[in-house]
Amino acid sequence: MLFIRKTLIAAACAAAFTSSVSASVVTEAFDGAWTNVASADNKGLMVDYIPSANLVFSAFFTYANDGSQIWSVVAVPLVDGQLDYTNVDVLKYTGGQFSAIGSPTQAVIAKANVSFACDAITMDITPANGSGVTAANFVFQPSLGLKKLTSGQCNEPITACPAGTTAEGSDCALPASIANDLILPAGKKYLVRGQVSVQSGGTLTIAPGVTVQGVNEASQANFIAVLRGGKIFAEGTATQPITFTGPTAEAGSWAGLVIAGNATCNEATGGQPCQFEAVPSITYGGNDPADNSGRLRYVRIMYAGQEVAPDEELNALTLMAVGSGTQIEYVQVDNGLDDGFEWFGGSVNVRNVVCSNMADDCFDMAQGYNGKGQFMLAYQGAPASFTSDPHGIELDNTDPSSTTTPITQPQFSNMTLVGSAAGAGGEGIRLRRGGGGNFTNLVVTGYADRCLNLNDAETMNLASGTAQGARLSFTNSFMGGCVAGTFEDSASDPYAISAFYGVGAGNGSGDPLLSGFLPTAASPVLSGGDAPADGFFVPTNYRGAFASPSDNWTAGWTVNIPN
């Protein structure tokens, strides 16, 4: 049988396509069992898609010509948009032991041609000489409770609006409430009117290449809210990112995306969840740090920031007590009227994220956020307007109290923060109100005010000017030039921020020699890095988000930045 632990790349039947949208998509819909039902032997496969490697791993049990049992393994490195794979090794492992340490060895026993389609996965096996197996052709179909997949799950472009949505001209309007499973296939634009809520138990799945757009109505805020217990799976590809945007290319033309989870929020009291100040009906927080709200991958969130209450604009992506079971990587927020990424508590991790042309802060966090992040870019660029203090990082614990635990303490590595002299009052990093953090491999430059500011005694007391603390540290980082100076040193502070930074291992300052946001060949940040020894972090020996002038992981799927 075919078992897929997480996801499998698959395709709709090629003859059905009339759109330029690729046929392939990674989706959880393929999880389950598939069997060669056309044959009386009901042979099948077990398959596991490994997202970090973009690899399909499969194993199947069969028999050799002499009747002996064989477990064979097929691993298919995937190419975005490709349906057919030829000459893939079929491996047999021998020598292992179930209850003791063994020394298994592998041998190629056959070659396979593998094809993925909406209703079938085929494998044509050509045996190697002397392998003892026979040529075979398998056509696997869903079985053991796995139903035939819909066109939405396979990313087959549609011509009519999917069930659960309403046609508005050639577009499809989303419902106000999503209580079950709603899949948005390619081929249509999907409209957001008012608050679209993914309820507890509901799932919103969005296919690669799809655009989700707020409507052109200012009478109410138009945004998506994934409530506690709900999930969103917006998984694009490098060539087919998913776009959330407004009706016009103006900051604030729609509100944005909100995700609420069941991880920790340190402002919860009396056993009650936290309440979203901008939209009080949305609550968040609990005691599950590994809570899973879904996945965002190759996603762009643009022109957000519509006012949801008087003097309350929504951020591009608001993450409220979102747990570490949620996956966020290759996500860009661009041209928002308020903040880019904002965390209220939670433990969700991020990787390969971009904040660009933001009117206010790029990375804003409070209420005990303690997640991790690596390969993060803030590029202030030239939005239509700035707020009075557009920071690269703005970090609080709580407001007004600053001692509530758990304190805000993210672990961030390999960040590049590039400011603009036009963003008056903007600082590269402002830590305040008792918030801490452990920062490694940062590059900060170009902000109108200072590059680094520890804004109050509560935050500064987490460390000292002669010894960085477990709750507050900067190491292997590089502070460039900012218009008003590198550090916000003040005689009234417990110690000089420049001294605090200076005792951090591997820290440096000067001209980082960037071209836009990429290091040039002579840049000092190409060395001197040392990522945390933690299973989440990829080992790096450079500072900033990019390993070299050619290591531009933003290229192709982002917009409005130099790449």
Side-chain angles (χ1 to χ4, degrees):
M1 67 183 60
L2 171 67
F3 164 73
I4 305 180
R5 174 173 57 84
K6 288 190 176 179
T7 51
L8 172 68
I9 192 168
C13 303
F17 288 95
T18 58
S19 168
S20 61
V21 176
S22 166
S24 64
V25 62
V26 176
T27 169
E28 282 192 334
F30 284 75
D31 289 7
W34 299 61
T35 306
N36 189 39
V37 294
S39 172
D41 58 18
N42 282 325
K43 286 190 173 70
L45 288 168
M46 294 187 294
V47 176
D48 180 13
Y49 170 68
I50 304 172
S52 60
N54 200 27
L55 177 82
V56 168
F57 172 86
S58 62
F60 69 94
F61 177 80
T62 187
Y63 297 90
N65 295 337
D66 62 5
S68 60
Q69 300 173 353
I70 293 178
W71 273 104
S72 63
V73 172
V74 180
V76 184
L78 301 176
V79 177
D80 185 35
Q82 184 172 322
L83 312 181
D84 304 317
Y85 298 85
T86 60
N87 207 35
V88 180
D89 287 340
V90 180
L91 303 173
K92 175 185 176 182
Y93 286 84
T94 57
Q97 300 178 45
F98 179 76
S99 59
I101 297 175
S103 300
T105 59
Q106 70 178 37
V108 177
I109 61 171
K111 295 288 187 177
N113 294 339
V114 184
S115 296
F116 301 107
C118 188
D119 57 353
I121 299 172
T122 63
M123 294 186 69
D124 297 334
I125 307 295
T126 301
N129 292 333
S131 64
V133 297
T134 303
N137 305 101
F138 299 119
V139 180
F140 301 107
Q141 295 177 322
S143 67
L144 297 183
L146 181 62
K147 300 177 181 179
K148 181 179 178 180
L149 305 178
T150 67
S151 61
Q153 291 167 318
C154 293
N155 204 31
E156 179 180 358
I158 58 173
T159 57
C161 289
T165 67
T166 304
E168 290 193 11
S170 60
D171 302 327
C172 307
L174 300 184
S177 176
I178 300 170
N180 297 304
D181 295 337
L182 178 60
I183 299 171
L184 307 183
K188 288 290 184 179
K189 181 192 296 180
Y190 298 93
L191 304 179
V192 176
R193 175 176 285 103
Q195 178 177 332
V196 173
S197 298
V198 182
Q199 307 289 342
S200 179
T203 299
L204 176 61
T205 301
I206 305 173
V210 163
T211 294
V212 180
Q213 179 181 295
V215 298
N216 193 16
E217 294 178 11
S219 60
Q220 57 185 335
N222 307 301
F223 65 102
I224 295 176
V226 181
L227 305 181
R228 290 192 299 162
K231 292 185 178 181
I232 181 170
F233 293 97
E235 298 182 79
T237 68
T239 56
Q240 296 181 91
I242 292 167
T243 301
F244 295 87
T245 190
T248 60
E250 300 172 282
S253 67
W254 80 300
L257 175 60
V258 175
I259 304 177
N262 288 298
T264 302
C265 164
N266 71 8
E267 289 194 8
T269 59
Q272 298 299 309
C274 290
Q275 189 176 51
F276 189 25
E277 183 178 26
V279 187
S281 62
I282 299 177
T283 60
Y284 56 99
N287 56 8
D288 183 5
D291 188 35
N292 185 351
S293 297
R295 280 194 294 277
L296 303 180
R297 194 166 190 270
Y298 287 109
V299 165
R300 304 182 298 217
I301 304 172
M302 305 169 61
Y303 304 112
Q306 187 178 19
E307 190 176 78
V308 295
D311 299 319
E312 291 280 358
E313 295 84 18
L314 215 57
N315 310 295
L317 178 58
T318 305
L319 300 164
M320 303 187 298
V322 176
S324 61
T326 308
Q327 182 182 6
I328 297 178
E329 60 181 25
Y330 295 99
V331 173
Q332 180 190 20
V333 293
D334 179 69
N335 272 291
L337 194 60
D338 200 359
D339 296 333
F341 295 85
E342 181 151 11
W343 294 267
F344 293 98
S347 49
V348 64
N349 305 321
V350 300
R351 196 191 305 275
N352 296 97
V353 294
V354 176
C355 173
S356 53
N357 306 297
M358 202 59 50
D360 202 17
D361 308 324
C362 263
F363 303 109
D364 193 320
M365 59 217 76
Q367 297 183 359
Y369 171 64
N370 54 29
K372 303 172 184 178
Q374 190 175 22
F375 310 122
M376 304 168 68
L377 170 65
Y379 184 76
Q380 204 167 32
S385 63
F386 285 113
T387 65
S388 61
D389 55 356
H391 307 311
I393 293 175
E394 181 175 275
L395 184 152
D396 301 335
N397 190 37
T398 57
D399 180 20
S401 172
S402 60
T403 60
T404 308
T405 58
I407 71 164
T408 301
Q409 187 180 346
Q411 289 180 266
F412 288 157
S413 182
N414 295 100
M415 301 182 75
T416 297
L417 309 177
V418 180
S420 167
E427 295 175 323
I429 302 172
R430 175 181 286 187
L431 310 185
R432 62 184 187 178
R433 295 172 179 162
N438 304 107
F439 304 94
T440 304
N441 298 344
L442 271 61
V443 175
V444 185
T445 193
Y447 285 84
D449 202 336
R450 301 324 199 271
C451 290
L452 176 61
N453 181 14
L454 309 183
N455 201 53
D456 51 46
E458 288 86 352
T459 290
M460 298 185 77
N461 287 339
L462 298 175
S464 75
T466 57
Q468 300 202 10
R471 290 190 164 190
L472 178 60
S473 62
F474 286 81
T475 56
N476 299 95
S477 293
F478 197 94
M479 295 292 160
C482 290
V483 176
T486 304
F487 304 102
E488 179 79 19
D489 285 339
S490 172
S492 62
D493 285 339
Y495 52 82
I497 296 171
S498 58
F500 158 80
Y501 176 80
V503 299
N507 287 340
S509 60
D511 187 346
L513 297 178
L514 303 184
S515 175
F517 50 78
L518 291 173
T520 62
S523 173
V525 307
L526 294 176
S527 61
D530 187 12
D534 178 289
F536 171 79
F537 294 100
V538 176
T540 57
N541 59 5
Y542 56 91
R543 293 173 283 190
F546 306 95
S548 70
S550 60
D551 176 38
N552 188 2
W553 47 260
T554 73
W557 61 276
T558 59
V559 293
N560 299 328
I561 60 175
N563 58 18

